[in-house]
Short mmCIF file of all heavy atoms in Angstrom, two decimals:
data_model
loop_
_atom_site.label_atom_id
_atom_site.label_comp_id
_atom_site.label_asym_id
_atom_site.label_seq_id
_atom_site.Cartn_x
_atom_site.Cartn_y
_atom_site.Cartn_z
N GLU V 1 -29.06 -21.99 -30.68
CA GLU V 1 -27.98 -22.52 -31.52
C GLU V 1 -26.73 -22.77 -30.69
O GLU V 1 -26.02 -23.77 -30.88
CB GLU V 1 -27.68 -21.54 -32.66
CG GLU V 1 -26.63 -22.04 -33.63
CD GLU V 1 -26.38 -21.07 -34.77
OE1 GLU V 1 -27.17 -20.12 -34.92
OE2 GLU V 1 -25.39 -21.25 -35.49
N PHE V 2 -26.44 -21.85 -29.75
CA PHE V 2 -25.28 -22.01 -28.87
C PHE V 2 -25.43 -23.28 -28.03
O PHE V 2 -24.49 -24.07 -27.88
CB PHE V 2 -25.16 -20.79 -27.96
CG PHE V 2 -24.09 -20.91 -26.90
CD1 PHE V 2 -22.78 -20.55 -27.18
CD2 PHE V 2 -24.40 -21.36 -25.63
CE1 PHE V 2 -21.79 -20.66 -26.21
CE2 PHE V 2 -23.43 -21.47 -24.65
CZ PHE V 2 -22.12 -21.12 -24.94
N ARG V 3 -26.61 -23.49 -27.46
CA ARG V 3 -26.84 -24.66 -26.62
C ARG V 3 -26.76 -25.96 -27.42
O ARG V 3 -26.22 -26.97 -26.94
CB ARG V 3 -28.19 -24.54 -25.91
CG ARG V 3 -28.26 -23.39 -24.89
CD ARG V 3 -29.56 -23.43 -24.10
NE ARG V 3 -29.61 -22.38 -23.09
CZ ARG V 3 -30.32 -21.26 -23.21
NH1 ARG V 3 -31.04 -21.04 -24.29
NH2 ARG V 3 -30.31 -20.36 -22.24
N LEU V 4 -27.29 -25.96 -28.64
CA LEU V 4 -27.23 -27.15 -29.48
C LEU V 4 -25.80 -27.46 -29.88
O LEU V 4 -25.41 -28.63 -29.98
CB LEU V 4 -28.10 -26.96 -30.72
CG LEU V 4 -29.62 -26.95 -30.50
CD1 LEU V 4 -30.35 -26.59 -31.79
CD2 LEU V 4 -30.10 -28.32 -29.98
N LEU V 5 -25.01 -26.42 -30.12
CA LEU V 5 -23.64 -26.61 -30.55
C LEU V 5 -22.74 -27.10 -29.42
O LEU V 5 -21.89 -27.97 -29.62
CB LEU V 5 -23.10 -25.29 -31.11
CG LEU V 5 -21.63 -25.27 -31.56
CD1 LEU V 5 -21.46 -26.19 -32.77
CD2 LEU V 5 -21.19 -23.85 -31.91
N THR V 6 -22.93 -26.56 -28.21
CA THR V 6 -22.01 -26.84 -27.10
C THR V 6 -22.52 -27.91 -26.14
O THR V 6 -21.74 -28.51 -25.41
CB THR V 6 -21.74 -25.56 -26.30
OG1 THR V 6 -22.99 -25.04 -25.77
CG2 THR V 6 -21.10 -24.49 -27.20
N GLN V 7 -23.84 -28.15 -26.11
CA GLN V 7 -24.44 -29.16 -25.23
C GLN V 7 -24.00 -29.01 -23.77
O GLN V 7 -23.41 -29.93 -23.18
CB GLN V 7 -24.09 -30.56 -25.73
CG GLN V 7 -24.65 -30.91 -27.10
CD GLN V 7 -26.17 -31.03 -27.08
OE1 GLN V 7 -26.74 -31.70 -26.23
NE2 GLN V 7 -26.82 -30.36 -28.01
N PRO V 8 -24.24 -27.87 -23.13
CA PRO V 8 -23.83 -27.71 -21.72
C PRO V 8 -24.60 -28.67 -20.82
O PRO V 8 -25.81 -28.88 -21.00
CB PRO V 8 -24.20 -26.26 -21.42
CG PRO V 8 -25.24 -25.89 -22.41
CD PRO V 8 -24.93 -26.67 -23.64
N VAL V 9 -23.89 -29.27 -19.85
CA VAL V 9 -24.53 -30.16 -18.87
C VAL V 9 -24.74 -29.43 -17.55
O VAL V 9 -24.99 -30.06 -16.53
CB VAL V 9 -23.69 -31.43 -18.66
CG1 VAL V 9 -23.56 -32.21 -19.95
CG2 VAL V 9 -22.31 -31.10 -18.08
N PHE V 10 -24.63 -28.12 -17.58
CA PHE V 10 -24.86 -27.27 -16.42
C PHE V 10 -25.95 -26.25 -16.79
O PHE V 10 -26.18 -25.99 -17.97
CB PHE V 10 -23.57 -26.56 -15.98
CG PHE V 10 -22.87 -25.83 -17.09
CD1 PHE V 10 -23.17 -24.50 -17.39
CD2 PHE V 10 -21.91 -26.46 -17.85
CE1 PHE V 10 -22.54 -23.83 -18.40
CE2 PHE V 10 -21.25 -25.80 -18.88
CZ PHE V 10 -21.57 -24.48 -19.16
N PRO V 11 -26.62 -25.68 -15.80
CA PRO V 11 -27.71 -24.74 -16.11
C PRO V 11 -27.19 -23.45 -16.71
O PRO V 11 -26.12 -22.96 -16.35
CB PRO V 11 -28.37 -24.51 -14.75
CG PRO V 11 -27.32 -24.83 -13.76
CD PRO V 11 -26.49 -25.92 -14.36
N THR V 12 -27.97 -22.90 -17.64
CA THR V 12 -27.65 -21.62 -18.26
C THR V 12 -28.89 -20.75 -18.28
O THR V 12 -30.01 -21.25 -18.27
CB THR V 12 -27.14 -21.81 -19.70
OG1 THR V 12 -28.17 -22.43 -20.49
CG2 THR V 12 -25.89 -22.67 -19.74
N VAL V 13 -28.68 -19.45 -18.31
CA VAL V 13 -29.78 -18.51 -18.37
C VAL V 13 -29.36 -17.34 -19.26
O VAL V 13 -28.18 -16.96 -19.29
CB VAL V 13 -30.20 -18.01 -16.97
CG1 VAL V 13 -29.09 -17.18 -16.34
CG2 VAL V 13 -31.51 -17.22 -17.02
N ALA V 14 -30.30 -16.79 -20.01
CA ALA V 14 -30.00 -15.66 -20.89
C ALA V 14 -29.94 -14.36 -20.09
O ALA V 14 -30.69 -14.16 -19.14
CB ALA V 14 -31.07 -15.55 -21.97
N ILE V 15 -29.03 -13.48 -20.49
CA ILE V 15 -28.92 -12.15 -19.88
C ILE V 15 -28.94 -11.11 -21.00
O ILE V 15 -28.62 -11.41 -22.15
CB ILE V 15 -27.64 -12.00 -19.03
CG1 ILE V 15 -26.38 -12.31 -19.86
CG2 ILE V 15 -27.71 -12.88 -17.80
CD1 ILE V 15 -25.08 -12.08 -19.11
N ASP V 16 -29.32 -9.88 -20.65
CA ASP V 16 -29.37 -8.82 -21.66
C ASP V 16 -28.01 -8.17 -21.84
O ASP V 16 -27.05 -8.46 -21.12
CB ASP V 16 -30.43 -7.78 -21.28
CG ASP V 16 -30.17 -7.12 -19.94
OD1 ASP V 16 -29.00 -6.89 -19.59
OD2 ASP V 16 -31.15 -6.85 -19.22
N ALA V 17 -27.92 -7.30 -22.83
CA ALA V 17 -26.64 -6.70 -23.19
C ALA V 17 -26.06 -5.86 -22.06
O ALA V 17 -24.85 -5.89 -21.81
CB ALA V 17 -26.80 -5.84 -24.45
N ILE V 18 -26.89 -5.10 -21.36
CA ILE V 18 -26.40 -4.24 -20.29
C ILE V 18 -25.80 -5.07 -19.16
O ILE V 18 -24.71 -4.77 -18.65
CB ILE V 18 -27.53 -3.33 -19.77
CG1 ILE V 18 -27.92 -2.32 -20.85
CG2 ILE V 18 -27.11 -2.60 -18.49
CD1 ILE V 18 -29.11 -1.46 -20.49
N THR V 19 -26.49 -6.14 -18.78
CA THR V 19 -25.97 -7.03 -17.74
C THR V 19 -24.67 -7.68 -18.20
O THR V 19 -23.69 -7.75 -17.44
CB THR V 19 -27.01 -8.11 -17.40
OG1 THR V 19 -28.22 -7.49 -16.97
CG2 THR V 19 -26.49 -9.02 -16.29
N PHE V 20 -24.66 -8.14 -19.45
CA PHE V 20 -23.48 -8.81 -19.99
C PHE V 20 -22.25 -7.91 -19.94
O PHE V 20 -21.19 -8.28 -19.40
CB PHE V 20 -23.77 -9.26 -21.42
CG PHE V 20 -22.59 -9.81 -22.16
CD1 PHE V 20 -22.10 -11.06 -21.88
CD2 PHE V 20 -21.98 -9.06 -23.16
CE1 PHE V 20 -21.02 -11.59 -22.57
CE2 PHE V 20 -20.89 -9.56 -23.85
CZ PHE V 20 -20.41 -10.83 -23.57
N PHE V 21 -22.37 -6.70 -20.50
CA PHE V 21 -21.21 -5.81 -20.56
C PHE V 21 -20.83 -5.27 -19.18
O PHE V 21 -19.69 -4.85 -18.97
CB PHE V 21 -21.48 -4.66 -21.53
CG PHE V 21 -21.43 -5.09 -22.96
CD1 PHE V 21 -22.59 -5.16 -23.72
CD2 PHE V 21 -20.24 -5.45 -23.56
CE1 PHE V 21 -22.56 -5.57 -25.04
CE2 PHE V 21 -20.19 -5.87 -24.88
CZ PHE V 21 -21.36 -5.92 -25.62
N GLY V 22 -21.78 -5.30 -18.24
CA GLY V 22 -21.45 -4.91 -16.87
C GLY V 22 -20.68 -5.96 -16.13
O GLY V 22 -20.05 -5.67 -15.10
N LEU V 23 -20.71 -7.22 -16.61
CA LEU V 23 -20.06 -8.32 -15.91
C LEU V 23 -18.75 -8.77 -16.54
O LEU V 23 -18.05 -9.63 -15.99
CB LEU V 23 -21.01 -9.53 -15.84
CG LEU V 23 -22.23 -9.36 -14.93
CD1 LEU V 23 -23.17 -10.55 -15.08
CD2 LEU V 23 -21.80 -9.19 -13.48
N ILE V 24 -18.40 -8.22 -17.71
CA ILE V 24 -17.12 -8.54 -18.33
C ILE V 24 -16.28 -7.28 -18.37
O ILE V 24 -16.75 -6.19 -18.09
CB ILE V 24 -17.30 -9.14 -19.74
CG1 ILE V 24 -17.88 -8.09 -20.69
CG2 ILE V 24 -18.15 -10.38 -19.70
CD1 ILE V 24 -17.84 -8.51 -22.15
N ASP V 25 -15.01 -7.46 -18.74
CA ASP V 25 -14.12 -6.32 -18.90
C ASP V 25 -14.02 -5.96 -20.37
O ASP V 25 -14.65 -5.02 -20.83
CB ASP V 25 -12.75 -6.63 -18.31
CG ASP V 25 -11.79 -5.46 -18.41
OD1 ASP V 25 -12.25 -4.33 -18.66
OD2 ASP V 25 -10.57 -5.66 -18.24
N LYS V 26 -13.25 -6.73 -21.11
CA LYS V 26 -13.09 -6.46 -22.54
C LYS V 26 -13.77 -7.51 -23.39
O LYS V 26 -14.40 -7.20 -24.39
CB LYS V 26 -11.60 -6.39 -22.88
CG LYS V 26 -10.88 -5.22 -22.22
CD LYS V 26 -9.41 -5.20 -22.61
CE LYS V 26 -8.68 -4.04 -21.96
NZ LYS V 26 -7.24 -4.03 -22.30
N GLU V 27 -13.63 -8.77 -23.01
CA GLU V 27 -14.20 -9.84 -23.81
C GLU V 27 -14.43 -11.05 -22.93
O GLU V 27 -13.72 -11.28 -21.96
CB GLU V 27 -13.28 -10.19 -24.98
CG GLU V 27 -11.84 -10.55 -24.56
CD GLU V 27 -10.92 -10.72 -25.75
OE1 GLU V 27 -11.41 -11.05 -26.85
OE2 GLU V 27 -9.71 -10.52 -25.58
N PRO V 28 -15.45 -11.84 -23.28
CA PRO V 28 -15.71 -13.07 -22.53
C PRO V 28 -14.78 -14.19 -23.04
O PRO V 28 -14.14 -14.02 -24.08
CB PRO V 28 -17.18 -13.35 -22.86
CG PRO V 28 -17.34 -12.81 -24.24
CD PRO V 28 -16.44 -11.62 -24.34
N PRO V 29 -14.72 -15.32 -22.31
CA PRO V 29 -15.46 -15.62 -21.09
C PRO V 29 -14.80 -15.03 -19.85
O PRO V 29 -13.59 -14.83 -19.82
CB PRO V 29 -15.41 -17.15 -21.05
CG PRO V 29 -14.12 -17.50 -21.72
CD PRO V 29 -13.95 -16.48 -22.82
N ARG V 30 -15.62 -14.78 -18.85
CA ARG V 30 -15.13 -14.38 -17.52
C ARG V 30 -15.71 -15.35 -16.51
O ARG V 30 -16.88 -15.73 -16.59
CB ARG V 30 -15.52 -12.95 -17.18
CG ARG V 30 -15.29 -12.60 -15.71
CD ARG V 30 -15.48 -11.14 -15.41
NE ARG V 30 -14.31 -10.36 -15.81
CZ ARG V 30 -14.11 -9.09 -15.45
NH1 ARG V 30 -15.01 -8.46 -14.72
NH2 ARG V 30 -13.03 -8.44 -15.85
N PHE V 31 -14.89 -15.75 -15.53
CA PHE V 31 -15.28 -16.74 -14.54
C PHE V 31 -15.32 -16.09 -13.16
O PHE V 31 -14.34 -15.49 -12.72
CB PHE V 31 -14.29 -17.91 -14.54
CG PHE V 31 -14.13 -18.56 -15.88
CD1 PHE V 31 -13.23 -18.07 -16.82
CD2 PHE V 31 -14.91 -19.66 -16.23
CE1 PHE V 31 -13.08 -18.66 -18.05
CE2 PHE V 31 -14.77 -20.26 -17.47
CZ PHE V 31 -13.86 -19.76 -18.39
N TYR V 32 -16.46 -16.23 -12.49
CA TYR V 32 -16.65 -15.68 -11.15
C TYR V 32 -16.74 -16.80 -10.12
O TYR V 32 -17.37 -17.83 -10.37
CB TYR V 32 -17.94 -14.87 -11.07
CG TYR V 32 -17.88 -13.49 -11.67
CD1 TYR V 32 -18.23 -13.29 -13.01
CD2 TYR V 32 -17.50 -12.39 -10.92
CE1 TYR V 32 -18.20 -12.02 -13.57
CE2 TYR V 32 -17.46 -11.13 -11.48
CZ TYR V 32 -17.81 -10.95 -12.80
OH TYR V 32 -17.77 -9.70 -13.34
N ARG V 33 -16.15 -16.55 -8.97
CA ARG V 33 -16.37 -17.40 -7.81
C ARG V 33 -17.42 -16.70 -6.96
O ARG V 33 -17.22 -15.57 -6.53
CB ARG V 33 -15.07 -17.58 -7.04
CG ARG V 33 -15.18 -18.49 -5.82
CD ARG V 33 -13.82 -18.61 -5.15
NE ARG V 33 -13.94 -19.25 -3.84
CZ ARG V 33 -13.22 -18.91 -2.79
NH1 ARG V 33 -12.33 -17.93 -2.87
NH2 ARG V 33 -13.38 -19.54 -1.63
N VAL V 34 -18.54 -17.38 -6.75
CA VAL V 34 -19.70 -16.74 -6.12
C VAL V 34 -20.12 -17.53 -4.89
O VAL V 34 -20.21 -18.76 -4.92
CB VAL V 34 -20.88 -16.65 -7.11
CG1 VAL V 34 -22.13 -16.10 -6.42
CG2 VAL V 34 -20.50 -15.78 -8.31
N ARG V 35 -20.37 -16.81 -3.81
CA ARG V 35 -20.91 -17.43 -2.60
C ARG V 35 -22.10 -16.59 -2.12
O ARG V 35 -21.96 -15.40 -1.85
CB ARG V 35 -19.86 -17.50 -1.49
CG ARG V 35 -20.39 -18.11 -0.17
CD ARG V 35 -19.35 -18.04 0.92
NE ARG V 35 -18.17 -18.83 0.57
CZ ARG V 35 -16.94 -18.58 1.04
NH1 ARG V 35 -16.74 -17.55 1.84
NH2 ARG V 35 -15.93 -19.35 0.68
N ASP V 36 -23.27 -17.24 -2.05
CA ASP V 36 -24.49 -16.58 -1.59
C ASP V 36 -24.77 -15.28 -2.34
O ASP V 36 -25.14 -14.26 -1.77
CB ASP V 36 -24.43 -16.31 -0.08
CG ASP V 36 -24.33 -17.59 0.74
OD1 ASP V 36 -24.79 -18.64 0.25
OD2 ASP V 36 -23.77 -17.55 1.84
N GLY V 37 -24.54 -15.32 -3.65
CA GLY V 37 -24.81 -14.17 -4.50
C GLY V 37 -23.71 -13.13 -4.55
O GLY V 37 -23.80 -12.17 -5.31
N VAL V 38 -22.67 -13.32 -3.73
CA VAL V 38 -21.59 -12.33 -3.64
C VAL V 38 -20.41 -12.79 -4.49
O VAL V 38 -20.00 -13.95 -4.44
CB VAL V 38 -21.14 -12.15 -2.17
CG1 VAL V 38 -19.93 -11.22 -2.09
CG2 VAL V 38 -22.28 -11.62 -1.33
#
């Protein structure tokens, strides 16, 4: 439903709750600058 509503033109992948809450602080969205996985 999210993908149909927003129509992203970039790749997306699902993550579980533990991964999600480990990657945000209080609330999304959060934006990371990533190089070679770092």
